[in-house]
Every structure is written in structure tokens, then in C-alpha cells.
Amino acid sequence: MNDEISRRLREAAEAHEPSRARILARVERGMADPSVRHRTPSIARSWPRAAIVGIVAAATLATGGLAVAAAIGGAPLLPATAPAPTVPSPTVTPPTVTPSPTPSSGTTTTTGPAPAPSPAPTWGSAHPTPPDDSRVEDGPMWSEGSLDPHSTIYWGQSNLTLKTTKPLTSVTVELRIAQTGDVRNTGSWQTGPDDDFTVTVQESDGALLYRWTLKPGRTVPAGQHEFASQYNHATGVRAVKHDSYHVDAQTSGRSTSVWGGFAPTR
């Protein structure tokens, strides 16, 4: 509202044109008035008329300017203050996303099944394939040789599983572990009682020979039995193709024998 009033007063002041003729007429009437003559001498008598006219004109202009200034607030207008400079915000460039190529029309993309994970390596087979020159079954006995899965690149254990459907009154079990480099005995065990067997380990023809002999008067009952040889060897995966086992046994009225090898590491 104040801005609108100031604008209108400024426009009125600019449009005002004082009447010079009217002002001169009033001055002349004042000079001719006889009531003024017997009083103090008028300044207008001692000055030329042209000077008086100039003073009147200047007073008129000054009066008009002061009136406008008082109407719009009593102070001259000042130039508008320049706006503060605007600091541009940093421009963030979005990352460029490269679209995936779309197969062209007529092209068929075939996705095959995911490859099956590789099986974890094992040191021995749970059910090894017997060598060609083996006889793993004879009469009431059945046998299987395998490398124990806990074998390492420094140490090994060879297992013989022996099953019989009849009691054995005489048994000799031999495990031959070929000397493939630094092969040294570290022990042996069997599932039967220690007092039932005589156990020996010796070097024989380039191999460690582990032998279990059933003592006289003892019997191996029908069922499944285990015999194991333990040994150190040179660092690395040891080849077992030259290892072998042989079992001779006696049942009531019959002799039986089985033999074979140990499954290679795979």
C-alpha cells in the first residue's frame, strides 16, 4: 500500500506545472498595495523585476520538490541495491548406465544347465574295484581292500574287510605294503581281541609285510572283521597298485582263501 501511494504522489509531482503568470500577478498586486508602502520598505522595490521573477521561479521549483519528497517519506530516492551474486550449485552428473545388449530378432539364446560341482577329493574308495588277478570271495568268506579315507600325503592306512558266514578255526591274514619311498611302520590293529592273534611286521621283498595269525584254540566268529596296517611314506599321493592282501582260513571240514589288492587313490 505505501508503495502505491508513493508512486501516485511521484506521478502527481512530475505532472505539476506551476503557473508563472499567476505567481507574477500576485507579486505585482502585492507591490501595488498601498498598505505595504507606509510599512517597512519592500525588498521587491530595490531589486529589478527580472531578478524577482527568477527568485519566484526557483522558489516554486524548490517548493514542488520538497512537497514531493515529504509526501513519499521525506528522503530522496536511492538507487536500488544490486542483488547479491548467486553461487551456482555444483552440477552432479548421473552415472552412465550402459544397457545390456538385446538379442536381435531371429537369434535364440540358449542357456545350458549350470555345471555340476566337482566332487570332493577322496583318498580311497568305499567300494573299490578288485584287481583282475584277485579272488575276493571263496566259500563262506568275502573280502575287500581299500585305502582309508583319512590317509594323507604323509601317512596312510590300508584296510581289509573280511566277512564270513561260518566261524573260522584257523586264519592267517597278510597285508603287503610296497616300498614306494620312506615307507615305515607306524602300527596296526584289528577288530578281534588282541589276545587272539599273533601280529608281526617285517621287511620282505621290497615291502612291509603285516601278518595276523590266529592262535591255536581260538575262533573267529561269523560276521564282519577289519584288519588295518598304518605307515608313513614319502610326501605326496602314494600309489597303491603294488599293495596286496592274502587270507588263508579253515572252517569245519574246509579250507578257503581270498586275495586281492587295494583300490588306487582317486
Side-chain angles (χ1 to χ4, degrees):
M1 182 65 69
N2 292 335
D3 293 340
E4 181 64 17
I5 294 174
S6 299
R7 183 183 62 80
R8 292 186 179 183
L9 291 174
R10 187 183 299 109
E11 292 176 354
E14 291 175 353
H16 175 71
E17 293 182 0
S19 178
R20 182 172 177 272
R22 183 179 301 174
I23 293 173
L24 292 176
R26 292 181 62 184
V27 171
E28 290 178 352
R29 285 196 302 270
M31 294 175 62
D33 191 355
S35 61
V36 180
R37 293 176 182 171
H38 64 271
R39 296 182 182 179
T40 57
S42 176
I43 299 175
R45 293 183 179 180
S46 59
W47 286 6
R49 183 175 181 178
I52 294 174
V53 173
I55 291 173
V56 171
T60 302
L61 293 177
T63 303
L66 291 176
V68 173
I72 64 174
L77 295 178
L78 299 177
T81 304
T86 303
V87 179
S89 301
T91 302
V92 179
T93 303
T96 302
V97 179
T98 304
S100 301
T102 303
S104 58
S105 58
T107 302
T108 303
T109 302
T110 304
T111 303
S118 302
T122 57
W123 289 104
S125 171
H127 299 285
T129 302
D132 295 337
D133 60 347
S134 63
R135 187 172 77 179
V136 299
E137 187 174 1
D138 181 30
M141 289 198 309
W142 175 90
S143 62
E144 179 182 79
S146 64
L147 185 66
D148 192 272
H150 296 97
S151 299
T152 69
I153 60 173
Y154 309 105
W155 176 88
Q157 176 175 302
S158 297
N159 300 329
L160 170 64
T161 301
L162 182 66
K163 296 179 181 179
T164 179
T165 59
K166 294 182 178 182
L168 304 176
T169 57
S170 174
V171 178
T172 300
V173 178
E174 292 183 347
L175 273 61
R176 295 179 64 88
I177 307 301
Q179 182 57 258
T180 55
D182 295 334
V183 176
R184 296 186 301 275
N185 172 45
T186 59
S188 62
W189 57 267
Q190 76 286 326
T191 54
D194 292 340
D195 292 342
D196 288 355
F197 294 91
T198 300
V199 183
T200 60
V201 182
Q202 62 183 11
E203 291 273 357
S204 176
D205 299 331
L208 277 181
L209 178 62
Y210 294 78
R211 181 182 285 122
W212 289 261
T213 303
L214 184 66
K215 294 179 180 180
R218 309 297 175 90
T219 301
V220 174
Q224 179 174 313
H225 307 276
E226 300 286 339
F227 299 85
S229 59
Q230 299 173 332
Y231 46 87
N232 287 333
H233 58 77
T235 303
V237 178
R238 180 180 173 274
V240 297
K241 62 182 179 179
H242 297 300
D243 299 346
S244 62
Y245 67 87
H246 194 105
V247 180
D248 292 324
Q250 184 75 36
T251 64
S252 56
R254 178 183 175 179
S255 297
T256 180
S257 297
V258 291
W259 61 85
F262 297 87
T265 301
R266 64 174 185 170

